[in-house]
Amino acid sequence: MQFKISQMAAYTIADLTDLDPELVKQIYSRPSKADYFCFIAPIEALQKARDELEELIKSNEQYNTEIYNDILEEIGYLATLG
């Protein structure tokens, strides 16, 4: 499925979740100046990333911040589009 995702959300799930290496490669191959870009991934990958990011935020005070909660909200929304 194709999603419009913010660069910040994409980099966050690439760095902090167990995202498939091919999807991570897709994220980092995008232009670094893009605020948003099209991301092609199975809905299950975003659902898994959402769950992992949610658990990280809940279990680690360092990540329980407004920015990470905003990213979780974006990923959560995208994970329901399928």
Side-chain angles (χ1 to χ4, degrees):
M1 195 164 180
Q2 186 169 327
F3 303 93
K4 183 178 178 184
I5 189 169
S6 71
Q7 181 187 49
M8 185 175 288
Y11 284 177
T12 299
I13 63 172
D15 293 343
L16 299 178
T17 68
D18 188 27
L19 200 61
D20 180 274
E22 286 299 314
L23 297 177
V24 172
K25 183 178 176 182
Q26 180 188 155
I27 288 169
Y28 281 105
S29 70
R30 302 293 183 199
S32 62
K33 303 246 183 214
D35 290 333
Y36 287 87
F37 56 83
C38 291
F39 179 55
I40 301 169
I43 190 74
E44 296 83 9
L46 284 180
Q47 291 167 342
K48 182 177 180 243
R50 173 203 57 205
D51 295 345
E52 290 178 14
L53 185 57
E54 183 174 37
E55 184 59 36
L56 179 67
I57 289 170
K58 285 180 181 178
S59 66
N60 191 327
E61 184 89 16
Q62 172 186 352
Y63 294 105
N64 193 0
T65 64
E66 183 178 355
I67 191 68
Y68 284 108
N69 282 292
D70 288 348
I71 291 168
L72 178 60
E73 187 176 321
E74 178 181 345
I75 300 300
Y77 172 75
L78 294 174
T80 63
L81 294 179

